């Protein structure tokens, strides 16, 4: 099958962000032509002028619709795309020149209907962005697979950097209404249909994450809230590892209580763990400032995800409440 690629990019109130992404796509190396489909998801700040600026440089189309969330916007774009293989990106990504060549090579060697690629921090990113990227991708945290851990079997692609064939999209019906969590939900439904997924480590993107400490906490808390809902929908996907952040946070609280009674060994274990995180970040980023910021980034990630996971587990797992009624902000209405 001759692959024809369509980049699918939902956008919401971030024209400057889209411009940076399109600028990087202009530099893309490719052996075959490709198109770009931009879907404006009910934005109050339009990106149409940005798209028009690149109309002569790229094969690009623009659609505007009411706000129904990123998952439905991707579905909207894929239904209108001309390609037979969709490359789904978040608008806060910058694409390396080699990206499409690596995708083409991997799919030519061993075709798969759905793949994911890791994310990395670009040298131009702020210190906070680099620290959060370290926390989100490090093998020390829950983000190991996002950083490109090739040992992970049955990889679950994430929609900031995902490939999906037209056949697989039509078979599974695309993304659902939950957000975040629409990407693992799609993957789990694909597995149930017999499709495979794979990580392509060399097909990475620079994921900018325009984020503050508050937004980062809110983001990872939502990740924690979503996981028990996915476990409820897909019982075979349950893993003990999803409990690790919650156990980490509860253990840290116990260590602080023990310090009051002059029992220090557990607290020292946590300090050693964070010290290792600092050292690895320092080695990877070659920046003392980024390494310092990586420590609270790790803590925020574990606390946000851990408490979110516990709250959702209690409401969905034990009290058997309806997910949409318990957490309405996690669902978009089509």
């Amino acid at each position: 099958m001759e692959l024809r690629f369509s980049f699918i990019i939902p956008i919401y109130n971030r024209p400057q962000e889209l411009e940076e992404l399109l600028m990087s796509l202009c530099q893309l190396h490719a052996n075959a032509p490709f198109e770009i489909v931009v879907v404006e998801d009910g934005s109050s700040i339009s990106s149409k002028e940005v798209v028009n600026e690149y109309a002569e440089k790229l094969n690009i189309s623009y659609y505007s619709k009411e706000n129904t969330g990123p998952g439905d916007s991707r579905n909207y774009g894929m239904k209108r795309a001309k390609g037979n293989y969709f490359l789904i990106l978040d608008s806060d990504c910058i694409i390396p020149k080699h990206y499409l060549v690596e995708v083409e090579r991997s799919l030519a060697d061993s075709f798969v209907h759905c793949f994911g690629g890791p994310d990395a921090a670009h040298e131009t990113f702020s210190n906070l962005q680099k620290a959060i990227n370290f926390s989100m991708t490090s093998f020390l945290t829950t983000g190991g697979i996002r950083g490109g851990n090739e040992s992970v079997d049955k990889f679950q692609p994430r929609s900031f950097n995902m490939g999906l064939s037209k056949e697989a999209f039509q078979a599974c019906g695309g993304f659902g209404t939950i957000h975040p969590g629409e990407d693992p939900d799609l993957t789990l439904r694909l597995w149930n249909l017999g499709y495979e997924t794979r990580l392509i480590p060399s097909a990475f993107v620079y994921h900018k994450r325009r984020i503050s400490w508050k937004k980062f906490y809110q983001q990872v808390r939502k990740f924690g809230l979503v996981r028990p809902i996915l476990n409820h929908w897909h019982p075979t996907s349950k893993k003990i590892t999803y409990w690790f952040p919650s156990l980490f946070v509860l253990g840290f609280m116990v260590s602080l209580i023990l310090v009051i009674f002059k029992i220090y060994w557990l607290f020292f274990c946590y300090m050693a763990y964070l010290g290792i995180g600092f050292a690895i970040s320092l080695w990877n980023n070659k920046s003392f400032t980024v390494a310092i910021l990586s420590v609270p980034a790790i803590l925020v990630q574990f606390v946000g995800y851990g408490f979110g996971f516990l709250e959702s587990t209690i409401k969905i797992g034990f009290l058997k409440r309806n997910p949409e009624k318990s957490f309405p902000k996690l669902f978009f209405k089509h």
Side-chain angles (χ1 to χ4, degrees):
M1 178 178 66
E2 181 182 354
L3 292 180
R4 302 186 305 279
F5 294 103
S6 297
F7 284 94
I8 310 297
I9 306 168
I11 185 77
Y12 181 73
N13 286 342
R14 291 179 173 180
Q16 178 58 40
E17 199 167 81
L18 179 64
E19 183 169 15
E20 293 176 349
L21 172 53
L22 295 180
M23 191 181 304
S24 69
L25 289 172
C26 284
Q27 308 299 318
L28 206 59
H29 297 160
N31 298 318
F34 60 89
E35 69 164 340
I36 297 167
V37 179
V38 175
V39 180
E40 190 94 65
D41 184 27
S43 301
S44 57
I45 307 174
S46 174
S47 297
K48 188 172 184 179
E49 289 187 11
V50 173
V51 173
N52 290 340
E53 290 176 10
Y54 286 85
E56 295 183 2
K57 302 175 184 177
L58 296 165
N59 178 12
I60 189 169
S61 55
Y62 171 86
Y63 298 93
S64 181
K65 52 179 250 328
E66 63 180 3
N67 179 239
T68 55
D72 189 54
S73 296
R74 298 182 195 111
N75 295 342
Y76 187 97
M78 288 186 282
K79 289 176 182 176
R80 288 156 179 79
K82 299 178 178 66
N84 58 12
Y85 207 103
F86 309 126
L87 301 174
I88 302 163
L89 302 173
D90 275 358
S91 61
D92 58 352
C93 290
I94 297 173
I95 312 304
K97 295 179 181 180
H98 69 272
Y99 177 86
L100 195 52
V101 173
E102 295 297 331
V103 170
E104 289 179 288
R105 180 184 297 120
S106 179
L107 294 180
D109 289 343
S110 176
F111 184 79
V112 69
H113 283 277
C114 181
F115 75 85
D119 56 341
H122 194 269
E123 59 183 8
T124 61
F125 288 7
S126 70
N127 290 330
L128 177 58
Q129 287 170 329
K130 290 177 180 178
I132 289 175
N133 181 81
F134 172 78
S135 176
M136 292 289 284
T137 60
S138 174
F139 70 91
L140 278 178
T141 68
T142 58
I145 59 173
R146 297 170 65 95
N149 186 343
E150 295 182 64
S151 67
V152 176
D153 62 349
K154 300 206 74 174
F155 177 71
Q156 296 185 16
R158 294 295 186 265
S159 53
F160 67 86
N161 179 13
M162 173 189 283
L164 182 68
S165 73
K166 184 176 182 178
E167 177 189 321
F169 166 65
Q170 292 176 336
C172 72
F175 294 94
T177 59
I178 194 170
H179 177 73
E182 70 273 21
D183 30 20
D185 172 58
L186 180 142
T187 297
L188 291 165
R189 286 187 283 112
L190 284 176
W191 290 349
N192 289 336
L193 291 170
Y195 289 96
E196 296 183 356
T197 59
R198 186 173 71 237
L199 170 70
I200 303 180
S202 56
F204 66 87
V205 301
Y206 298 112
H207 199 183
K208 197 156 193 175
R209 293 194 184 91
R210 298 183 186 278
I211 207 164
S212 63
W213 286 120
K214 181 180 179 180
K215 289 181 179 179
F216 181 44
Y217 177 82
Q218 292 171 339
Q219 181 187 58
V220 292
R221 179 178 176 273
K222 285 182 178 180
F223 290 159
L225 290 173
V226 159
R227 180 51 65 177
I229 297 174
L230 296 177
N231 291 344
H232 174 68
W233 289 348
H234 309 280
T236 58
S237 69
K238 294 180 181 179
K239 293 181 181 179
I240 190 66
T241 51
Y242 296 143
W243 281 90
F244 285 179
S246 301
L247 296 176
F248 178 96
V249 174
L250 294 175
F252 187 62
M253 294 170 64
V254 170
S255 76
L256 295 177
I257 294 172
L258 290 177
V259 166
I260 298 175
F261 298 98
K262 298 184 179 180
I263 301 173
Y264 303 107
W265 65 269
L266 185 57
F267 179 77
F268 287 153
C269 288
Y270 276 92
M271 292 303 100
Y273 171 83
L274 294 174
I276 292 171
F278 169 86
I280 295 175
S281 179
L282 182 62
W283 175 265
N284 290 348
N285 293 288
K286 305 297 187 291
S287 167
F288 186 81
T289 302
V290 174
I292 287 289
L293 290 173
S294 295
V295 174
I298 291 172
L299 290 174
V300 169
Q301 182 180 350
F302 275 118
V303 170
Y305 187 103
F307 280 130
F309 183 88
L310 283 175
E311 179 184 351
S312 186
T313 296
I314 292 170
K315 291 182 178 179
I316 307 302
F318 297 126
L319 300 179
K320 308 299 181 182
R321 293 182 181 175
N322 181 282
E324 292 194 43
K325 291 182 178 179
S326 297
F327 305 106
K329 293 184 178 180
L330 296 179
F331 295 87
F332 279 91
K333 301 297 182 183
H334 290 182

